[in-house]
């Protein structure tokens, strides 16, 4: 199992450009998440999905869109990048265990710089 | 409200014990987690504790939970240089599958 993978690993964009970050998981997890990590602020939830075809807003959704057309993939889009979106982006997936745990498994991250 | 707080930095000498602390505000938390992030990598689940437990031990790791004070700690025995990383605590409420993360504690292990 590859677990959770993210592409690309690094990207530099100019202000106003668009791009899509791809997250893939091979663990058949129902739930998937996109976070951003900024220095001293921990992880903040951007959007999440509770199943194929569903998406929902997290804590900081503005400027981002997502799609979950296939269960194993969760795409994060930036339509018009801004310098404030310079960050490290993490994807995660999870399932609900029999004991009620819902631990999340993380990808390696995508480092995005917007100039 | 939901808020998880951690101290930003901890420095210990190799071989000593490390204790990383976390406080949370939501008394309805069911599971609390510790994640480790090494430089340039994603978060890796280290351990978890269910809210009806006071303590959980897993090899060099000991998790203590004080529900009355809403305080969680992670003790790493015989800390090694490979333990240098950022450690995040996270809480999950019974009504949600989302995790609320603290801002992370950077652990530096000095030789």
């Amino acid at each position: 199992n590859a677990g959770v993978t993210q592409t690309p690993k690094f990207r530099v964009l100019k202000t106003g450009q668009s791009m899509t970050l791809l997250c893939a998981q091979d663990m058949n997890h129902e739930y998937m998440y996109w976070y951003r990590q900024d220095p001293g602020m921990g992880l903040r939830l951007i959007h999440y999905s509770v199943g194929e075809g569903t998406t929902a807003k997290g804590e900081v959704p503005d400027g981002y869109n997502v799609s979950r057309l296939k269960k194993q993939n969760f795409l994060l889009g930036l339509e018009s990048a801004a310098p404030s979106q310079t960050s490290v982006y993490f994807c995660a997936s999870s399932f609900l265990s029999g004991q009620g745990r819902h631990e999340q498994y993380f990808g390696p991250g995508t480092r995005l710089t917007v100039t | 409200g939901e808020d998880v707080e951690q101290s930003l930095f901890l420095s210990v000498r190799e071989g000593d014990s490390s204790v990383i602390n976390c406080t949370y505000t939501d008394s309805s938390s069911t599971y609390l987690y510790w994640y480790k992030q090494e430089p340039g990598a994603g978060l890796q689940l280290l351990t978890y504790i269910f809210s009806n437990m006071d303590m959980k031990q897993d090899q060099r790791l000991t998790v203590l939970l004080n529900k009355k004070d809403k305080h969680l700690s992670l003790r790493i025995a015989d800390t090694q240089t490979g333990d240098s990383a950022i450690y995040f605590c996270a809480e999950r409420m019974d009504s949600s599958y989302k995790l609320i993360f603290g801002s992370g504690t950077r652990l530096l292990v000095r030789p």
Side-chain angles (χ1 to χ4, degrees):
Chain A
N1 281 356
V4 180
T5 58
Q6 293 181 233
T7 52
K9 287 186 168 50
F10 303 94
R11 186 71 187 268
V12 178
L13 287 180
K14 292 190 189 317
T15 297
Q17 287 184 319
S18 63
M19 78 162 294
T20 300
L21 282 66
L22 171 64
C23 175
Q25 52 96 3
D26 60 3
M27 297 175 283
N28 202 35
H29 287 173
E30 287 294 330
Y31 303 84
M32 296 187 75
Y33 314 80
W34 275 107
Y35 293 90
R36 59 178 289 172
Q37 183 181 31
D38 301 295
M41 298 189 74
L43 277 78
R44 292 183 292 169
L45 183 64
I46 305 171
H47 285 280
Y48 63 98
S49 168
V50 302
E52 181 179 317
T54 74
T55 63
K57 294 180 180 180
E59 183 186 356
V60 288
D62 294 342
Y64 306 94
N65 56 75
V66 287
S67 65
R68 182 105 182 263
L69 297 179
K70 292 183 180 180
K71 186 178 184 179
Q72 63 268 33
N73 295 338
F74 195 28
L75 278 64
L76 178 71
L78 285 73
E79 289 186 349
S80 179
S84 61
Q85 294 177 304
T86 293
S87 188
V88 181
Y89 291 86
F90 288 100
C91 176
S93 69
S94 70
F95 72 102
L96 186 61
S97 72
Q99 297 90 0
R101 298 204 314 270
H102 221 286
E103 53 222 38
Q104 295 184 12
Y105 295 82
F106 283 80
T110 294
R111 186 173 295 274
L112 176 66
T113 302
V114 183
T115 62
Chain B
E2 307 163 350
D3 199 10
V4 179
E5 294 188 356
Q6 302 178 237
S7 53
L8 288 181
F9 184 75
L10 176 66
S11 177
V12 300
R13 196 177 295 277
E14 188 175 16
D16 288 349
S17 292
S18 307
V19 179
I20 302 171
N21 295 303
C22 172
T23 57
Y24 60 98
T25 56
D26 200 308
S27 58
S28 64
S29 296
T30 52
Y31 279 97
L32 295 121
Y33 303 85
W34 283 104
Y35 282 84
K36 176 184 180 183
Q37 184 182 32
E38 296 182 357
L43 278 70
Q44 173 192 359
L45 179 66
L46 274 182
T47 187
Y48 66 90
I49 188 166
F50 189 49
S51 59
N52 68 354
M53 299 167 66
D54 298 324
M55 185 181 87
K56 180 180 179 185
Q57 188 149 4
D58 186 359
Q59 300 181 333
R60 291 190 299 123
L61 305 179
T62 302
V63 179
L64 295 178
L65 176 60
N66 181 329
K67 282 198 75 175
K68 175 175 169 289
D69 295 337
K70 298 190 183 69
H71 183 265
L72 180 74
S73 68
L74 174 70
R75 178 177 180 270
I76 306 173
D78 187 25
T79 313
Q80 302 297 306
T81 54
D83 295 324
S84 290
I86 302 176
Y87 291 80
F88 292 92
C89 67
E91 64 171 341
R92 180 173 85 83
M93 279 68 75
D94 187 37
S95 60
S96 173
Y97 38 79
K98 292 183 283 184
L99 297 183
I100 307 298
F101 286 87
S103 56
T105 299
R106 184 178 294 274
L107 174 65
L108 175 66
V109 182
R110 310 184 307 274

